[in-house]
Amino acid sequence: MEKKLAGQIAIITGASSGIGAGVSKALAAAGATVVVNHPVAATKNAAEAVLSEIKNEGGTGMTYQADVSKEEEVKKMFSETIFQFGTVDILVNNAGLQRDAPFTEMTLEQWNYVLSVNLTGQFLCAREAIREFIRRGITPEKSKAAGKIICMSSVHEVIPWAGHANYAASKGGIMLLMKSIAQEYAGHKIRINSIGPGAIKTPINRAAWETPEAEKKLLELIPYQRVGVVEDIGAAAVWLASDDADYVNGITLFVDGGMTLYPGFSTNG
Ligand code: BGC
């Protein structure tokens, strides 16, 4: 197989489970050296398990504990990665979580927690990545771009979501954060895009697909009639990070089986 990301160093945040783990494996299979980030001591074993799977398949990388909402921890993750591997070529801003509540019952803590990980975390990591991309510039043997950032957004950057106002606000915020910095740094040959996953089978939405009844209900929202898997997102991430997508900048690539097509309108309206 052609290794489209050979020799490139990728940091994937929130990579000890779910989409982050899947994207780490896909980037490693495409030849990237991966930094499998995880947030706390309790997630270390899961991150190590992801890395050993990667190594068994012939990939390389390391795990790194850092809470993306903490400036000092993010800075250390980047300096340690640069110390170990020389630079960073790809950032996948993936770490994200949900703390759902009816809006009138949502606590400030639930609001702040979701915004600080999902949105502030992407700001802090993107800032460090762009600083490194500018310092290093283009390495033509590796890529036409000086660096690539993929922000993990959601269909909920455009689809409102009752009961999840904090989460939807964080994803709407990611959309204009991504577009604003894509505009700001395009001249430096830095490409910044988002992936907007729909319903992907991971721990974050287990209740929505775990039982046949739940899955049937979920499929009403998915015209393509299947729930997504992390490999769907991994393939999109490899493409966006590779030179095949060299002219793609500032977009959200929805990988959602058509969830953003407003399926309710196929029989109504
Ligand atoms: C959420 C999932 C949800 C999906 C589709 C994602 O961003 O994290 O819980 O199933 O959007 O609604």
Side-chain angles (χ1 to χ4, degrees):
M1 197 183 98
E2 192 193 350
K3 303 267 184 187
K4 300 226 173 211
L5 304 177
Q8 300 192 48
I9 315 302
I11 294 179
I12 304 95
T13 66
S16 50
S17 72
I19 289 175
V23 167
S24 300
K25 291 175 199 169
L27 295 189
T33 294
V34 291
V35 177
V36 178
N37 160 260
H38 66 99
V40 289
T43 46
K44 186 174 171 57
N45 287 346
E48 289 294 345
V50 172
L51 184 64
S52 42
E53 256 193 75
I54 286 169
K55 288 188 169 165
N56 288 340
E57 297 292 319
T60 52
M62 67 172 182
T63 63
Y64 194 89
Q65 182 187 325
D67 175 340
V68 295
S69 68
K70 307 248 165 70
E71 187 172 27
E72 283 317 308
E73 295 187 26
V74 168
K75 286 188 163 180
K76 277 199 200 127
M77 173 167 67
F78 276 81
S79 56
E80 183 60 20
T81 299
I82 293 163
F83 177 71
Q84 291 288 336
F85 301 122
T87 189
V88 179
D89 302 279
I90 299 162
L91 165 67
V92 183
N93 249 341
N94 169 78
L97 45 80
Q98 291 179 215
R99 287 296 178 273
D100 310 326
F103 189 64
T104 48
E105 282 155 40
M106 189 173 284
T107 63
L108 179 59
E109 198 188 1
Q110 287 171 323
W111 173 267
N112 281 339
Y113 188 39
V114 169
L115 269 291
S116 69
V117 173
N118 295 15
L119 187 56
T120 307
Q122 294 217 10
F123 155 65
L124 290 171
C125 293
R127 192 182 58 175
E128 292 313 307
I130 292 170
R131 285 173 176 165
E132 172 60 11
F133 298 161
I134 291 173
R135 182 199 67 76
R136 171 178 37 75
I138 298 171
T139 314
E141 318 81 80
K142 286 206 282 189
S143 177
K144 291 177 182 161
K148 283 87 52 151
I149 297 177
I150 297 169
C151 299
M152 207 53 71
S153 183
S154 165
V155 292
H156 298 297
E157 74 170 41
V158 291
I159 301 179
W161 205 13
H164 308 74
N166 48 359
Y167 183 82
S170 74
K171 296 300 181 178
I174 288 167
M175 176 180 63
L176 277 177
L177 168 66
M178 178 277 289
K179 285 177 188 277
S180 299
I181 58 180
Q183 188 189 64
E184 195 165 338
Y185 292 101
H188 289 268
K189 295 289 221 176
I190 294 170
R191 291 193 300 107
I192 307 171
N193 294 286
S194 289
I195 295 175
I200 307 298
K201 279 190 185 178
T202 70
I204 207 174
N205 59 358
R206 187 177 292 284
W209 51 263
E210 201 164 35
T211 64
E213 302 74 52
E215 182 157 349
K216 188 162 174 274
K217 192 155 170 273
L218 183 58
L219 288 176
E220 288 171 16
L221 298 174
I222 309 171
Y224 202 60
Q225 289 297 298
R226 83 168 163 84
V227 182
V229 290
V230 295
E231 289 77 10
D232 292 316
I233 308 303
V238 168
W239 179 72
L240 274 179
S242 78
D243 280 357
D244 287 347
D246 187 53
Y247 208 48
V248 179
N249 199 12
I251 66 148
T252 296
L253 176 59
F254 289 106
V255 181
D256 68 349
M259 197 175 238
T260 39
L261 297 173
Y262 297 95
F265 277 82
S266 60
T267 53
N268 203 350

